[in-house]
Amino acid sequence: MKKQLTRQQYLDLYYYMRLNRAVEDTMVKLFRQNKIVGGLYSSEGQEGISVGTAYALEKKDWMAPMIRNIGALLVKGVPPRDIFTQHMAKYTSPTRGKDGTSHFGDLENLHIVSPISMLGDLIPVMTGVAMAGRYLGQKIVAMTWIGDGGSSTGVFHEGLNFAASQKAPFVLILENNQWAYSTPVKRQVPVKDLADRAKSYGIPSYIVDGNDVVAVYTTAKEAVDRARAGEGPILIEAKSMRMRGHAQHDPAEYVPKEMFEYWKARDPIVLYEKFLTGEKLLDVKGKKEIEERIETLLTKERDFAENSPMPPAEFANEGVYCTGDSCHKIAPKWERSKAEVTPPRSSIAGVWSVEGFGEGKGSAGKNAPIHFGDTAPASPELGENESKLAPKTPAKTVVKKVAGSNGKGKTHAPATKNGASRKEVANALASRVGKKPATAAAGKRR
């Protein structure tokens, strides 16, 4: 970590990471007391990603967190009581008790789009938000997150390609936390860096240590500034580790103990504390003040949540369907010139005629064994993977040998699976339908 921010910025990052973990620790206790009615998903070990990336946004910007991005909610201004009441399905929660996890947002004030359970679907949604902001001349940036497993969904690729073709001011944070539920990354994707997927859509990408909150923030800030300046979407891969199971019910016994020990020593909060202490930005007194501030806040917020009522029974059928203007108004705003609402021109020139089209290198670095039009075929050199997958021996044809009048073997038509020749099978079928058996002269004209 390098000293490059203001003192207040450094302490803000520390406060929000500590608050993130304290909020989740409180919810674990509530969960074990059966006061949380839905699933509980931990972000322990990943606080630096949520906090560092969200801290790079401006108040006018939009974001769409996933269920592990509680730190991003806190940075954007969501009070802990909203998170507590939401998970406890209380009537005072943002969804009035109609959800038991983090499926809530704030479109009017905080510009937060609710999480979508179908992973990857937030990418085209936030691309649309980014485009809408550009149409309205707002100079906003839209941000969302996706996990390593979610990056293998079809909509991840469709959405990223859509964002790239529209040059949308959009930043995607890919949290590589090593596990998609119980499947390790190496069993999901045959590449080392998931950021390489950005190359497929002609957009830039970054790779950052997700446990270094300063690096995460500075990287995200640069990406946000570039997107805001009109450079189009950017992908950031933040490498980290999910230090708990998929949810509270999952003990994560499939994770090697050595892996947990390695990443435990790289805890983002512990690493950051060492940095702040070494740079004389945080001392014992300052740390205690932050801890007391968090404890006072969460005690108040937890008490509010626990004392809040459950929703009344008659509320179950309210707010289920949109009833038009009485629900919320959605109307087009034709305030911009046609030029401003027209998608940007492609950064790639449209070329239909290329000398030697069809020749060149394949993905394995060898000549592509194809040709087009009047070009000569390229030499069919096999790449490394193609050589490995090529059959080691040629296919064999099984033939039937029968004894002739001279006692020597005579080769007939290729045999079928059970050993009979095609001619024998044809004769057998012919006898069943009353036709004459096939002869050696069959098929010849006389």
Side-chain angles (χ1 to χ4, degrees), residues 346-357:
S346 174
S347 57
I348 304 298
V351 179
W352 64 273
S353 179
V354 181
E355 183 180 355
F357 187 88

Side-chain angles (χ1 to χ4, degrees), residues 9-207:
Q9 285 178 315
Y10 282 120
L11 294 180
D12 281 350
L13 293 173
Y14 179 70
Y15 169 78
Y16 283 118
M17 281 205 296
R18 289 294 304 267
L19 180 60
N20 184 168
R21 185 163 295 185
V23 166
E24 292 195 17
D25 288 344
T26 300
M27 287 200 294
V28 170
K29 295 175 183 176
L30 293 171
F31 182 87
R32 292 174 180 174
Q33 294 170 358
N34 288 327
K35 294 177 179 178
I36 285 182
V37 301
L40 187 59
Y41 304 87
S42 173
S43 68
E44 182 178 336
Q46 298 175 232
E47 295 91 345
I49 301 176
S50 292
V51 171
T53 52
Y55 196 72
L57 296 173
E58 295 182 8
K59 186 176 181 180
K60 65 181 180 180
D61 294 330
W62 286 71
M63 74 176 197
M66 294 199 301
I67 53 177
R68 298 190 200 279
N69 298 122
I70 286 180
L73 292 174
L74 297 169
V75 170
K76 206 69 163 78
V78 175
R81 66 173 56 187
D82 282 359
I83 299 171
F84 293 153
T85 55
Q86 182 70 19
H87 283 79
M88 298 168 76
K90 293 300 184 78
Y91 194 51
T92 54
S93 71
T95 58
R96 309 291 293 278
K98 289 192 172 180
D99 184 73
T101 186
S102 292
H103 295 104
F104 72 96
D106 184 343
L107 304 180
E108 297 294 330
N109 301 309
L110 300 180
H111 296 172
I112 299 174
V113 175
S114 173
I116 299 176
S117 293
M118 284 65 73
L119 300 182
D121 282 50
L122 283 169
I123 297 172
V125 168
M126 296 310 289
T127 297
V129 170
M131 292 169 61
R134 181 174 65 206
Y135 292 169
L136 297 174
Q138 295 176 349
K139 285 289 184 179
I140 64 164
V141 173
M143 177 184 288
T144 191
W145 293 258
I146 190 68
D148 48 89
S151 70
S152 295
T153 60
V155 73
F156 167 91
H157 297 277
E158 294 170 11
L160 206 53
N161 183 71
F162 177 47
S165 64
Q166 297 296 319
K167 294 194 73 173
F170 169 64
V171 176
L172 177 61
I173 312 301
L174 202 169
E175 297 180 277
N176 185 347
N177 63 15
Q178 313 297 322
W179 296 88
Y181 207 126
S182 57
T183 304
V185 173
K186 65 181 180 181
R187 296 288 297 274
Q188 301 175 50
V189 185
V191 295
K192 179 181 178 182
D193 299 316
L194 299 179
D196 287 347
R197 288 179 157 174
K199 298 176 182 177
S200 302
Y201 310 108
I203 64 174
S205 65
Y206 296 88
I207 298 175

Side-chain angles (χ1 to χ4, degrees), residues 190-191 362-366 381-392:
V191 295
S363 59
K366 301 294 184 178
E381 300 179 47
L382 295 178
E384 182 180 350
N385 287 339
E386 294 172 303
S387 299
K388 292 180 180 178
L389 296 175
K392 299 298 184 290

Side-chain angles (χ1 to χ4, degrees), residues 273-430:
E273 281 184 359
K274 291 180 179 178
F275 167 77
L276 294 177
T277 302
E279 295 293 335
K280 300 188 184 308
L281 295 167
L282 181 70
D283 54 20
V284 176
K285 181 181 177 182
K287 180 180 177 182
K288 185 177 180 181
E289 288 176 351
I290 290 176
E291 290 173 344
E292 290 177 349
R293 176 185 169 192
I294 291 174
E295 183 178 358
T296 300
L297 173 64
L298 294 190
T299 298
K300 178 182 177 182
E301 301 290 86
R302 185 189 65 236
D303 289 345
F304 173 86
E306 293 197 70
N307 294 323
S308 292
M310 299 298 288
E314 59 270 19
F315 182 64
N317 67 343
E318 295 181 23
V320 179
Y321 299 102
C322 178
T323 54
D325 288 349
S326 62
C327 175
H328 61 279
K329 291 186 178 182
I330 299 179
K333 295 182 179 180
W334 305 110
E335 301 173 0
R336 317 298 297 180
S337 68
K338 185 176 179 180
E340 288 180 288
V341 300
T342 302
R345 294 181 178 179
S346 174
S347 57
I348 304 298
V351 179
W352 64 273
S353 179
V354 181
E355 183 180 355
F357 187 88
E359 296 180 356
K361 300 294 183 181
S363 59
K366 301 294 184 178
N367 287 329
I370 58 174
H371 67 100
F372 180 83
D374 56 356
T375 61
S379 57
E381 300 179 47
L382 295 178
E384 182 180 350
N385 287 339
E386 294 172 303
S387 299
K388 292 180 180 178
L389 296 175
K392 299 298 184 290
T393 56
K396 294 181 180 180
T397 301
V398 179
V399 297
K400 177 74 174 180
K401 288 188 176 182
V402 296
S405 59
N406 58 1
K408 295 183 180 180
K410 188 182 295 182
T411 301
H412 286 258
T416 59
K417 188 175 182 181
N418 62 3
S421 70
R422 292 178 181 174
K423 182 178 178 182
E424 291 170 336
V425 173
N427 288 340
L429 292 174

